[in-house]
Amino acid sequence: MKALSVIPLRAGSAALVDVDEPPASDGPILVETLAVGICGTDIEILSGAYGWSPPGRERLVLGHESLGRVLEAPAGAPVTVGDLVVGIVRRPDPVPCANCAVMEWDFCRNGQYTERGIKEHDGYLSERYRITPDFVVKVDARLGLLGVLLEPTSVVAKAWEEVERVGGRAHWSPRTVLVTGAGPIGLLAALLGVQRSLDVHVLDRMSEGVKPELVRSLGATYHSGAVGDIGFQPDVIIECTGVSSVILDAMTNVGVGGVMCLTGVSSGGHQINFDEGAMNRNMVLENVAVVGSVNANRRHYEAAAAALAAADRDWLSRLITRRVALEDWADALTRHDDDVKVVIEVQPGTAS
Ligand SMILES: [Zn+2]
């Protein structure tokens, strides 16, 4: 079968290659891959900046935002033949640490976790894969191709859970949320905010185009200036840019008793002038909490599946701005203006 693989840390090594059928040791559930979403992590891996191949192997199969259809499942499995499913990305470390031992691999303490398509475990960008029941999540059949949005939605479902658990340290009735960044993660974070009946605001650089339109059609407010200019201090900020100046601006503008969740990854190495005294005053005197959030465990995938099932499918379909056939994978991995989510269709037209 065909798979898109790379030699990690070697730019230009990506190739569509023939690989063996997935081994039975990967799990009793056999899945036909329908589509795989592309994100910044894939582009980093492709550029030779990130990624680890499985032990003893040179190449790593890419792909962690998957959508597939079950071809074989044993009796008693949580999915049956024909179901649309998504594979969970992270696997617990083998030690395991205290968190991985209780299926909270998103909080792995020792860094020895593996991730399909990223770290020491082949991804989902092959025609078929096998998986164990614990790591496969069923998607509402009505979503079709939109099920490929489940993995990025799991990341924001975890961020929202973090916000709510931290907010719950005192009486908690948030009214306003600011999402910084209108990429797929930011837009999905905004969707989950609207589903919570909050007054949702999204900030990004573009003043026009598909991102502002997507924000407005969600019933949220779009801003293209600085965080300090939005005219209020949000109860919740979900940071999805990873841009230092935006992060610091946002940190000094969280409302009283508010919670800010960081989901974007900064590249580091930048130094900017910043009044840390003012930020400290704001955080202490207003009980502000800032929390980081990465990855997702099974509970978050299930919350994400419910959120997508309840969402407007026309709106979700507008997030997928390009669909590219597997043979044209190189085009999918090249950024275009106005891209939101680009999807590689491994089986074109089978999940429309
Ligand atoms: Zn662990």
Side-chain angles (χ1 to χ4, degrees), residues 148-174:
V148 79
L149 297 169
L150 183 60
E151 194 279 339
T153 307
S154 74
V155 169
V156 298
K158 173 177 171 181
W160 272 107
E161 185 187 271
E162 296 273 302
V163 164
E164 285 162 349
R165 289 188 174 194
V166 174
R169 67 203 157 141
H171 170 74
W172 177 242
S173 52

mmCIF file with all atom_site columns, all heavy atoms in Angstrom, residues 148-174:
data_model
loop_
_atom_site.group_PDB
_atom_site.id
_atom_site.type_symbol
_atom_site.label_atom_id
_atom_site.label_alt_id
_atom_site.label_comp_id
_atom_site.label_asym_id
_atom_site.label_entity_id
_atom_site.label_seq_id
_atom_site.pdbx_PDB_ins_code
_atom_site.Cartn_x
_atom_site.Cartn_y
_atom_site.Cartn_z
_atom_site.occupancy
_atom_site.B_iso_or_equiv
_atom_site.pdbx_formal_charge
_atom_site.auth_seq_id
_atom_site.auth_comp_id
_atom_site.auth_asym_id
_atom_site.auth_atom_id
_atom_site.pdbx_PDB_model_num
ATOM 1   N N   . VAL A 1 148 ? -12.451 14.865 9.798  1.00 0.00 ? 148 VAL A N   1
ATOM 2   C CA  . VAL A 1 148 ? -11.002 15.082 9.816  1.00 0.00 ? 148 VAL A CA  1
ATOM 3   C C   . VAL A 1 148 ? -10.634 16.254 10.735 1.00 0.00 ? 148 VAL A C   1
ATOM 4   O O   . VAL A 1 148 ? -9.468  16.408 11.111 1.00 0.00 ? 148 VAL A O   1
ATOM 5   C CB  . VAL A 1 148 ? -10.489 15.277 8.358  1.00 0.00 ? 148 VAL A CB  1
ATOM 6   C CG1 . VAL A 1 148 ? -10.765 16.690 7.855  1.00 0.00 ? 148 VAL A CG1 1
ATOM 7   C CG2 . VAL A 1 148 ? -9.020  14.922 8.240  1.00 0.00 ? 148 VAL A CG2 1
ATOM 8   N N   . LEU A 1 149 ? -11.632 17.045 11.127 1.00 0.00 ? 149 LEU A N   1
ATOM 9   C CA  . LEU A 1 149 ? -11.386 18.168 12.048 1.00 0.00 ? 149 LEU A CA  1
ATOM 10  C C   . LEU A 1 149 ? -11.372 17.717 13.520 1.00 0.00 ? 149 LEU A C   1
ATOM 11  O O   . LEU A 1 149 ? -11.167 18.534 14.414 1.00 0.00 ? 149 LEU A O   1
ATOM 12  C CB  . LEU A 1 149 ? -12.470 19.246 11.859 1.00 0.00 ? 149 LEU A CB  1
ATOM 13  C CG  . LEU A 1 149 ? -12.503 19.903 10.465 1.00 0.00 ? 149 LEU A CG  1
ATOM 14  C CD1 . LEU A 1 149 ? -13.758 20.751 10.306 1.00 0.00 ? 149 LEU A CD1 1
ATOM 15  C CD2 . LEU A 1 149 ? -11.254 20.741 10.246 1.00 0.00 ? 149 LEU A CD2 1
ATOM 16  N N   . LEU A 1 150 ? -11.601 16.430 13.759 1.00 0.00 ? 150 LEU A N   1
ATOM 17  C CA  . LEU A 1 150 ? -11.720 15.982 15.157 1.00 0.00 ? 150 LEU A CA  1
ATOM 18  C C   . LEU A 1 150 ? -10.426 16.159 15.959 1.00 0.00 ? 150 LEU A C   1
ATOM 19  O O   . LEU A 1 150 ? -10.451 16.618 17.099 1.00 0.00 ? 150 LEU A O   1
ATOM 20  C CB  . LEU A 1 150 ? -12.186 14.517 15.207 1.00 0.00 ? 150 LEU A CB  1
ATOM 21  C CG  . LEU A 1 150 ? -12.419 13.973 16.616 1.00 0.00 ? 150 LEU A CG  1
ATOM 22  C CD1 . LEU A 1 150 ? -13.470 14.761 17.365 1.00 0.00 ? 150 LEU A CD1 1
ATOM 23  C CD2 . LEU A 1 150 ? -12.821 12.509 16.562 1.00 0.00 ? 150 LEU A CD2 1
ATOM 24  N N   . GLU A 1 151 ? -9.292  15.798 15.356 1.00 0.00 ? 151 GLU A N   1
ATOM 25  C CA  . GLU A 1 151 ? -8.033  15.900 16.131 1.00 0.00 ? 151 GLU A CA  1
ATOM 26  C C   . GLU A 1 151 ? -7.744  17.343 16.528 1.00 0.00 ? 151 GLU A C   1
ATOM 27  O O   . GLU A 1 151 ? -7.512  17.613 17.724 1.00 0.00 ? 151 GLU A O   1
ATOM 28  C CB  . GLU A 1 151 ? -6.882  15.244 15.363 1.00 0.00 ? 151 GLU A CB  1
ATOM 29  C CG  . GLU A 1 151 ? -5.647  15.000 16.231 1.00 0.00 ? 151 GLU A CG  1
ATOM 30  C CD  . GLU A 1 151 ? -4.746  16.217 16.425 1.00 0.00 ? 151 GLU A CD  1
ATOM 31  O OE1 . GLU A 1 151 ? -4.811  17.163 15.618 1.00 0.00 ? 151 GLU A OE1 1
ATOM 32  O OE2 . GLU A 1 151 ? -3.989  16.244 17.393 1.00 0.00 ? 151 GLU A OE2 1
ATOM 33  N N   . PRO A 1 152 ? -7.753  18.317 15.590 1.00 0.00 ? 152 PRO A N   1
ATOM 34  C CA  . PRO A 1 152 ? -7.535  19.699 16.059 1.00 0.00 ? 152 PRO A CA  1
ATOM 35  C C   . PRO A 1 152 ? -8.608  20.158 17.054 1.00 0.00 ? 152 PRO A C   1
ATOM 36  O O   . PRO A 1 152 ? -8.305  20.933 17.972 1.00 0.00 ? 152 PRO A O   1
ATOM 37  C CB  . PRO A 1 152 ? -7.540  20.536 14.778 1.00 0.00 ? 152 PRO A CB  1
ATOM 38  C CG  . PRO A 1 152 ? -8.027  19.650 13.687 1.00 0.00 ? 152 PRO A CG  1
ATOM 39  C CD  . PRO A 1 152 ? -7.806  18.241 14.111 1.00 0.00 ? 152 PRO A CD  1
ATOM 40  N N   . THR A 1 153 ? -9.827  19.665 16.920 1.00 0.00 ? 153 THR A N   1
ATOM 41  C CA  . THR A 1 153 ? -10.870 20.050 17.883 1.00 0.00 ? 153 THR A CA  1
ATOM 42  C C   . THR A 1 153 ? -10.575 19.468 19.270 1.00 0.00 ? 153 THR A C   1
ATOM 43  O O   . THR A 1 153 ? -10.881 20.091 20.293 1.00 0.00 ? 153 THR A O   1
ATOM 44  C CB  . THR A 1 153 ? -12.258 19.588 17.387 1.00 0.00 ? 153 THR A CB  1
ATOM 45  O OG1 . THR A 1 153 ? -12.459 20.074 16.057 1.00 0.00 ? 153 THR A OG1 1
ATOM 46  C CG2 . THR A 1 153 ? -13.373 20.125 18.270 1.00 0.00 ? 153 THR A CG2 1
ATOM 47  N N   . SER A 1 154 ? -9.932  18.283 19.306 1.00 0.00 ? 154 SER A N   1
ATOM 48  C CA  . SER A 1 154 ? -9.594  17.693 20.614 1.00 0.00 ? 154 SER A CA  1
ATOM 49  C C   . SER A 1 154 ? -8.619  18.588 21.378 1.00 0.00 ? 154 SER A C   1
ATOM 50  O O   . SER A 1 154 ? -8.680  18.680 22.604 1.00 0.00 ? 154 SER A O   1
ATOM 51  C CB  . SER A 1 154 ? -9.010  16.279 20.440 1.00 0.00 ? 154 SER A CB  1
ATOM 52  O OG  . SER A 1 154 ? -7.678  16.316 19.941 1.00 0.00 ? 154 SER A OG  1
ATOM 53  N N   . VAL A 1 155 ? -7.751  19.267 20.645 1.00 0.00 ? 155 VAL A N   1
ATOM 54  C CA  . VAL A 1 155 ? -6.775  20.166 21.277 1.00 0.00 ? 155 VAL A CA  1
ATOM 55  C C   . VAL A 1 155 ? -7.501  21.340 21.955 1.00 0.00 ? 155 VAL A C   1
ATOM 56  O O   . VAL A 1 155 ? -7.163  21.727 23.073 1.00 0.00 ? 155 VAL A O   1
ATOM 57  C CB  . VAL A 1 155 ? -5.757  20.656 20.212 1.00 0.00 ? 155 VAL A CB  1
ATOM 58  C CG1 . VAL A 1 155 ? -4.886  21.790 20.744 1.00 0.00 ? 155 VAL A CG1 1
ATOM 59  C CG2 . VAL A 1 155 ? -4.900  19.487 19.740 1.00 0.00 ? 155 VAL A CG2 1
ATOM 60  N N   . VAL A 1 156 ? -8.525  21.885 21.287 1.00 0.00 ? 156 VAL A N   1
ATOM 61  C CA  . VAL A 1 156 ? -9.246  23.010 21.906 1.00 0.00 ? 156 VAL A CA  1
ATOM 62  C C   . VAL A 1 156 ? -10.248 22.523 22.951 1.00 0.00 ? 156 VAL A C   1
ATOM 63  O O   . VAL A 1 156 ? -10.549 23.243 23.910 1.00 0.00 ? 156 VAL A O   1
ATOM 64  C CB  . VAL A 1 156 ? -9.911  23.942 20.856 1.00 0.00 ? 156 VAL A CB  1
ATOM 65  C CG1 . VAL A 1 156 ? -8.848  24.562 19.967 1.00 0.00 ? 156 VAL A CG1 1
ATOM 66  C CG2 . VAL A 1 156 ? -10.965 23.257 20.036 1.00 0.00 ? 156 VAL A CG2 1
ATOM 67  N N   . ALA A 1 157 ? -10.729 21.291 22.797 1.00 0.00 ? 157 ALA A N   1
ATOM 68  C CA  . ALA A 1 157 ? -11.607 20.748 23.857 1.00 0.00 ? 157 ALA A CA  1
ATOM 69  C C   . ALA A 1 157 ? -10.814 20.628 25.154 1.00 0.00 ? 157 ALA A C   1
ATOM 70  O O   . ALA A 1 157 ? -11.326 20.920 26.244 1.00 0.00 ? 157 ALA A O   1
ATOM 71  C CB  . ALA A 1 157 ? -12.167 19.387 23.443 1.00 0.00 ? 157 ALA A CB  1
ATOM 72  N N   . LYS A 1 158 ? -9.534  20.228 25.050 1.00 0.00 ? 158 LYS A N   1
ATOM 73  C CA  . LYS A 1 158 ? -8.708  20.174 26.258 1.00 0.00 ? 158 LYS A CA  1
ATOM 74  C C   . LYS A 1 158 ? -8.471  21.586 26.788 1.00 0.00 ? 158 LYS A C   1
ATOM 75  O O   . LYS A 1 158 ? -8.554  21.820 28.000 1.00 0.00 ? 158 LYS A O   1
ATOM 76  C CB  . LYS A 1 158 ? -7.371  19.483 25.987 1.00 0.00 ? 158 LYS A CB  1
ATOM 77  C CG  . LYS A 1 158 ? -6.463  19.603 27.215 1.00 0.00 ? 158 LYS A CG  1
ATOM 78  C CD  . LYS A 1 158 ? -5.149  18.903 27.102 1.00 0.00 ? 158 LYS A CD  1
ATOM 79  C CE  . LYS A 1 158 ? -4.261  19.282 28.287 1.00 0.00 ? 158 LYS A CE  1
ATOM 80  N NZ  . LYS A 1 158 ? -2.944  18.670 28.240 1.00 0.00 ? 158 LYS A NZ  1
ATOM 81  N N   . ALA A 1 159 ? -8.173  22.541 25.906 1.00 0.00 ? 159 ALA A N   1
ATOM 82  C CA  . ALA A 1 159 ? -7.922  23.920 26.360 1.00 0.00 ? 159 ALA A CA  1
ATOM 83  C C   . ALA A 1 159 ? -9.142  24.451 27.120 1.00 0.00 ? 159 ALA A C   1
ATOM 84  O O   . ALA A 1 159 ? -9.008  25.064 28.188 1.00 0.00 ? 159 ALA A O   1
ATOM 85  C CB  . ALA A 1 159 ? -7.592  24.813 25.171 1.00 0.00 ? 159 ALA A CB  1
ATOM 86  N N   . TRP A 1 160 ? -10.341 24.198 26.588 1.00 0.00 ? 160 TRP A N   1
ATOM 87  C CA  . TRP A 1 160 ? -11.559 24.653 27.276 1.00 0.00 ? 160 TRP A CA  1
ATOM 88  C C   . TRP A 1 160 ? -11.736 23.952 28.627 1.00 0.00 ? 160 TRP A C   1
ATOM 89  O O   . TRP A 1 160 ? -12.179 24.554 29.605 1.00 0.00 ? 160 TRP A O   1
ATOM 90  C CB  . TRP A 1 160 ? -12.798 24.457 26.392 1.00 0.00 ? 160 TRP A CB  1
ATOM 91  C CG  . TRP A 1 160 ? -13.024 25.648 25.501 1.00 0.00 ? 160 TRP A CG  1
ATOM 92  C CD1 . TRP A 1 160 ? -12.818 25.726 24.152 1.00 0.00 ? 160 TRP A CD1 1
ATOM 93  C CD2 . TRP A 1 160 ? -13.486 26.942 25.913 1.00 0.00 ? 160 TRP A CD2 1
ATOM 94  N NE1 . TRP A 1 160 ? -13.109 26.987 23.721 1.00 0.00 ? 160 TRP A NE1 1
ATOM 95  C CE2 . TRP A 1 160 ? -13.523 27.757 24.762 1.00 0.00 ? 160 TRP A CE2 1
ATOM 96  C CE3 . TRP A 1 160 ? -13.856 27.498 27.147 1.00 0.00 ? 160 TRP A CE3 1
ATOM 97  C CZ2 . TRP A 1 160 ? -13.931 29.087 24.795 1.00 0.00 ? 160 TRP A CZ2 1
ATOM 98  C CZ3 . TRP A 1 160 ? -14.263 28.830 27.184 1.00 0.00 ? 160 TRP A CZ3 1
ATOM 99  C CH2 . TRP A 1 160 ? -14.298 29.611 26.026 1.00 0.00 ? 160 TRP A CH2 1
ATOM 100 N N   . GLU A 1 161 ? -11.390 22.662 28.673 1.00 0.00 ? 161 GLU A N   1
ATOM 101 C CA  . GLU A 1 161 ? -11.485 21.952 29.957 1.00 0.00 ? 161 GLU A CA  1
ATOM 102 C C   . GLU A 1 161 ? -10.532 22.573 30.981 1.00 0.00 ? 161 GLU A C   1
ATOM 103 O O   . GLU A 1 161 ? -10.892 22.770 32.156 1.00 0.00 ? 161 GLU A O   1
ATOM 104 C CB  . GLU A 1 161 ? -11.164 20.465 29.770 1.00 0.00 ? 161 GLU A CB  1
ATOM 105 C CG  . GLU A 1 161 ? -11.361 19.657 31.039 1.00 0.00 ? 161 GLU A CG  1
ATOM 106 C CD  . GLU A 1 161 ? -10.870 18.222 30.898 1.00 0.00 ? 161 GLU A CD  1
ATOM 107 O OE1 . GLU A 1 161 ? -11.667 17.369 30.476 1.00 0.00 ? 161 GLU A OE1 1
ATOM 108 O OE2 . GLU A 1 161 ? -9.684  17.964 31.208 1.00 0.00 ? 161 GLU A OE2 1
ATOM 109 N N   . GLU A 1 162 ? -9.321  22.921 30.525 1.00 0.00 ? 162 GLU A N   1
ATOM 110 C CA  . GLU A 1 162 ? -8.353  23.570 31.422 1.00 0.00 ? 162 GLU A CA  1
ATOM 111 C C   . GLU A 1 162 ? -8.927  24.885 31.951 1.00 0.00 ? 162 GLU A C   1
ATOM 112 O O   . GLU A 1 162 ? -8.861  25.180 33.146 1.00 0.00 ? 162 GLU A O   1
ATOM 113 C CB  . GLU A 1 162 ? -7.062  23.901 30.659 1.00 0.00 ? 162 GLU A CB  1
ATOM 114 C CG  . GLU A 1 162 ? -6.314  22.712 30.141 1.00 0.00 ? 162 GLU A CG  1
ATOM 115 C CD  . GLU A 1 162 ? -5.359  22.172 31.182 1.00 0.00 ? 162 GLU A CD  1
ATOM 116 O OE1 . GLU A 1 162 ? -4.493  22.908 31.635 1.00 0.00 ? 162 GLU A OE1 1
ATOM 117 O OE2 . GLU A 1 162 ? -5.533  21.010 31.560 1.00 0.00 ? 162 GLU A OE2 1
ATOM 118 N N   . VAL A 1 163 ? -9.473  25.690 31.028 1.00 0.00 ? 163 VAL A N   1
ATOM 119 C CA  . VAL A 1 163 ? -10.023 26.997 31.405 1.00 0.00 ? 163 VAL A CA  1
ATOM 120 C C   . VAL A 1 163 ? -11.120 26.808 32.453 1.00 0.00 ? 163 VAL A C   1
ATOM 121 O O   . VAL A 1 163 ? -11.162 27.504 33.478 1.00 0.00 ? 163 VAL A O   1
ATOM 122 C CB  . VAL A 1 163 ? -10.588 27.722 30.154 1.00 0.00 ? 163 VAL A CB  1
ATOM 123 C CG1 . VAL A 1 163 ? -11.495 28.877 30.551 1.00 0.00 ? 163 VAL A CG1 1
ATOM 124 C CG2 . VAL A 1 163 ? -9.442  28.204 29.259 1.00 0.00 ? 163 VAL A CG2 1
ATOM 125 N N   . GLU A 1 164 ? -11.992 25.846 32.217 1.00 0.00 ? 164 GLU A N   1
ATOM 126 C CA  . GLU A 1 164 ? -13.133 25.664 33.123 1.00 0.00 ? 164 GLU A CA  1
ATOM 127 C C   . GLU A 1 164 ? -12.693 25.105 34.474 1.00 0.00 ? 164 GLU A C   1
ATOM 128 O O   . GLU A 1 164 ? -13.230 25.480 35.516 1.00 0.00 ? 164 GLU A O   1
ATOM 129 C CB  . GLU A 1 164 ? -14.189 24.799 32.441 1.00 0.00 ? 164 GLU A CB  1
ATOM 130 C CG  . GLU A 1 164 ? -14.908 25.637 31.381 1.00 0.00 ? 164 GLU A CG  1
ATOM 131 C CD  . GLU A 1 164 ? -15.671 24.855 30.326 1.00 0.00 ? 164 GLU A CD  1
ATOM 132 O OE1 . GLU A 1 164 ? -15.512 23.616 30.246 1.00 0.00 ? 164 GLU A OE1 1
ATOM 133 O OE2 . GLU A 1 164 ? -16.414 25.512 29.563 1.00 0.00 ? 164 GLU A OE2 1
ATOM 134 N N   . ARG A 1 165 ? -11.700 24.216 34.468 1.00 0.00 ? 165 ARG A N   1
ATOM 135 C CA  . ARG A 1 165 ? -11.235 23.669 35.752 1.00 0.00 ? 165 ARG A CA  1
ATOM 136 C C   . ARG A 1 165 ? -10.516 24.735 36.570 1.00 0.00 ? 165 ARG A C   1
ATOM 137 O O   . ARG A 1 165 ? -10.697 24.822 37.779 1.00 0.00 ? 165 ARG A O   1
ATOM 138 C CB  . ARG A 1 165 ? -10.330 22.462 35.519 1.00 0.00 ? 165 ARG A CB  1
ATOM 139 C CG  . ARG A 1 165 ? -11.137 21.268 35.030 1.00 0.00 ? 165 ARG A CG  1
ATOM 140 C CD  . ARG A 1 165 ? -10.306 20.007 34.973 1.00 0.00 ? 165 ARG A CD  1
ATOM 141 N NE  . ARG A 1 165 ? -11.165 18.872 34.633 1.00 0.00 ? 165 ARG A NE  1
ATOM 142 C CZ  . ARG A 1 165 ? -10.810 17.605 34.769 1.00 0.00 ? 165 ARG A CZ  1
ATOM 143 N NH1 . ARG A 1 165 ? -9.614  17.301 35.235 1.00 0.00 ? 165 ARG A NH1 1
ATOM 144 N NH2 . ARG A 1 165 ? -11.645 16.640 34.441 1.00 0.00 ? 165 ARG A NH2 1
ATOM 145 N N   . VAL A 1 166 ? -9.705  25.567 35.897 1.00 0.00 ? 166 VAL A N   1
ATOM 146 C CA  . VAL A 1 166 ? -9.016  26.642 36.631 1.00 0.00 ? 166 VAL A CA  1
ATOM 147 C C   . VAL A 1 166 ? -10.044 27.697 37.059 1.00 0.00 ? 166 VAL A C   1
ATOM 148 O O   . VAL A 1 166 ? -10.037 28.156 38.210 1.00 0.00 ? 166 VAL A O   1
ATOM 149 C CB  . VAL A 1 166 ? -7.902  27.266 35.768 1.00 0.00 ? 166 VAL A CB  1
ATOM 150 C CG1 . VAL A 1 166 ? -7.283  28.466 36.473 1.00 0.00 ? 166 VAL A CG1 1
ATOM 151 C CG2 . VAL A 1 166 ? -6.824  26.229 35.465 1.00 0.00 ? 166 VAL A CG2 1
ATOM 152 N N   . GLY A 1 167 ? -10.942 28.053 36.165 1.00 0.00 ? 167 GLY A N   1
ATOM 153 C CA  . GLY A 1 167 ? -11.970 29.047 36.495 1.00 0.00 ? 167 GLY A CA  1
ATOM 154 C C   . GLY A 1 167 ? -12.811 28.607 37.678 1.00 0.00 ? 167 GLY A C   1
ATOM 155 O O   . GLY A 1 167 ? -13.222 29.425 38.509 1.00 0.00 ? 167 GLY A O   1
ATOM 156 N N   . GLY A 1 168 ? -13.022 27.296 37.806 1.00 0.00 ? 168 GLY A N   1
ATOM 157 C CA  . GLY A 1 168 ? -13.861 26.747 38.860 1.00 0.00 ? 168 GLY A CA  1
ATOM 158 C C   . GLY A 1 168 ? -13.255 26.831 40.254 1.00 0.00 ? 168 GLY A C   1
ATOM 159 O O   . GLY A 1 168 ? -13.872 26.403 41.230 1.00 0.00 ? 168 GLY A O   1
ATOM 160 N N   . ARG A 1 169 ? -12.041 27.439 40.369 1.00 0.00 ? 169 ARG A N   1
ATOM 161 C CA  . ARG A 1 169 ? -11.423 27.627 41.712 1.00 0.00 ? 169 ARG A CA  1
ATOM 162 C C   . ARG A 1 169 ? -12.239 28.591 42.552 1.00 0.00 ? 169 ARG A C   1
ATOM 163 O O   . ARG A 1 169 ? -12.081 28.676 43.761 1.00 0.00 ? 169 ARG A O   1
ATOM 164 C CB  . ARG A 1 169 ? -9.986  28.156 41.558 1.00 0.00 ? 169 ARG A CB  1
ATOM 165 C CG  . ARG A 1 169 ? -9.962  29.574 40.979 1.00 0.00 ? 169 ARG A CG  1
ATOM 166 C CD  . ARG A 1 169 ? -8.645  29.935 40.306 1.00 0.00 ? 169 ARG A CD  1
ATOM 167 N NE  . ARG A 1 169 ? -8.908  31.020 39.354 1.00 0.00 ? 169 ARG A NE  1
ATOM 168 C CZ  . ARG A 1 169 ? -8.098  32.043 39.137 1.00 0.00 ? 169 ARG A CZ  1
ATOM 169 N NH1 . ARG A 1 169 ? -6.948  32.118 39.760 1.00 0.00 ? 169 ARG A NH1 1
ATOM 170 N NH2 . ARG A 1 169 ? -8.428  32.967 38.275 1.00 0.00 ? 169 ARG A NH2 1
ATOM 171 N N   . ALA A 1 170 ? -13.114 29.411 41.916 1.00 0.00 ? 170 ALA A N   1
ATOM 172 C CA  . ALA A 1 170 ? -13.976 30.360 42.625 1.00 0.00 ? 170 ALA A CA  1
ATOM 173 C C   . ALA A 1 170 ? -15.302 30.389 41.865 1.00 0.00 ? 170 ALA A C   1
ATOM 174 O O   . ALA A 1 170 ? -15.438 29.679 40.868 1.00 0.00 ? 170 ALA A O   1
ATOM 175 C CB  . ALA A 1 170 ? -13.342 31.750 42.643 1.00 0.00 ? 170 ALA A CB  1
ATOM 176 N N   . HIS A 1 171 ? -16.250 31.211 42.328 1.00 0.00 ? 171 HIS A N   1
ATOM 177 C CA  . HIS A 1 171 ? -17.484 31.330 41.545 1.00 0.00 ? 171 HIS A CA  1
ATOM 178 C C   . HIS A 1 171 ? -17.112 31.687 40.110 1.00 0.00 ? 171 HIS A C   1
ATOM 179 O O   . HIS A 1 171 ? -16.314 32.596 39.888 1.00 0.00 ? 171 HIS A O   1
ATOM 180 C CB  . HIS A 1 171 ? -18.392 32.418 42.136 1.00 0.00 ? 171 HIS A CB  1
ATOM 181 C CG  . HIS A 1 171 ? -19.545 32.717 41.217 1.00 0.00 ? 171 HIS A CG  1
ATOM 182 N ND1 . HIS A 1 171 ? -20.606 31.851 41.080 1.00 0.00 ? 171 HIS A ND1 1
ATOM 183 C CD2 . HIS A 1 171 ? -19.757 33.738 40.357 1.00 0.00 ? 171 HIS A CD2 1
ATOM 184 C CE1 . HIS A 1 171 ? -21.439 32.345 40.180 1.00 0.00 ? 171 HIS A CE1 1
ATOM 185 N NE2 . HIS A 1 171 ? -20.954 33.476 39.726 1.00 0.00 ? 171 HIS A NE2 1
ATOM 186 N N   . TRP A 1 172 ? -17.679 31.032 39.135 1.00 0.00 ? 172 TRP A N   1
ATOM 187 C CA  . TRP A 1 172 ? -17.204 31.166 37.741 1.00 0.00 ? 172 TRP A CA  1
ATOM 188 C C   . TRP A 1 172 ? -18.383 31.311 36.799 1.00 0.00 ? 172 TRP A C   1
ATOM 189 O O   . TRP A 1 172 ? -19.125 30.354 36.575 1.00 0.00 ? 172 TRP A O   1
ATOM 190 C CB  . TRP A 1 172 ? -16.362 29.938 37.393 1.00 0.00 ? 172 TRP A CB  1
ATOM 191 C CG  . TRP A 1 172 ? -15.830 29.830 35.992 1.00 0.00 ? 172 TRP A CG  1
ATOM 192 C CD1 . TRP A 1 172 ? -16.123 28.854 35.079 1.00 0.00 ? 172 TRP A CD1 1
ATOM 193 C CD2 . TRP A 1 172 ? -14.869 30.691 35.341 1.00 0.00 ? 172 TRP A CD2 1
ATOM 194 N NE1 . TRP A 1 172 ? -15.416 29.054 33.919 1.00 0.00 ? 172 TRP A NE1 1
ATOM 195 C CE2 . TRP A 1 172 ? -14.641 30.169 34.052 1.00 0.00 ? 172 TRP A CE2 1
ATOM 196 C CE3 . TRP A 1 172 ? -14.189 31.852 35.729 1.00 0.00 ? 172 TRP A CE3 1
ATOM 197 C CZ2 . TRP A 1 172 ? -13.769 30.770 33.141 1.00 0.00 ? 172 TRP A CZ2 1
ATOM 198 C CZ3 . TRP A 1 172 ? -13.322 32.441 34.826 1.00 0.00 ? 172 TRP A CZ3 1
ATOM 199 C CH2 . TRP A 1 172 ? -13.110 31.906 33.551 1.00 0.00 ? 172 TRP A CH2 1
ATOM 200 N N   . SER A 1 173 ? -18.619 32.519 36.328 1.00 0.00 ? 173 SER A N   1
ATOM 201 C CA  . SER A 1 173 ? -19.668 32.701 35.314 1.00 0.00 ? 173 SER A CA  1
ATOM 202 C C   . SER A 1 173 ? -19.141 33.635 34.238 1.00 0.00 ? 173 SER A C   1
ATOM 203 O O   . SER A 1 173 ? -19.496 34.802 34.176 1.00 0.00 ? 173 SER A O   1
ATOM 204 C CB  . SER A 1 173 ? -20.952 33.245 35.942 1.00 0.00 ? 173 SER A CB  1
ATOM 205 O OG  . SER A 1 173 ? -20.666 34.402 36.707 1.00 0.00 ? 173 SER A OG  1
ATOM 206 N N   . PRO A 1 174 ? -18.222 33.110 33.384 1.00 0.00 ? 174 PRO A N   1
ATOM 207 C CA  . PRO A 1 174 ? -17.604 33.949 32.351 1.00 0.00 ? 174 PRO A CA  1
ATOM 208 C C   . PRO A 1 174 ? -18.642 34.414 31.332 1.00 0.00 ? 174 PRO A C   1
ATOM 209 O O   . PRO A 1 174 ? -19.646 33.731 31.095 1.00 0.00 ? 174 PRO A O   1
ATOM 210 C CB  . PRO A 1 174 ? -16.597 33.004 31.698 1.00 0.00 ? 174 PRO A CB  1
ATOM 211 C CG  . PRO A 1 174 ? -17.170 31.647 31.920 1.00 0.00 ? 174 PRO A CG  1
ATOM 212 C CD  . PRO A 1 174 ? -17.848 31.701 33.244 1.00 0.00 ? 174 PRO A CD  1
#
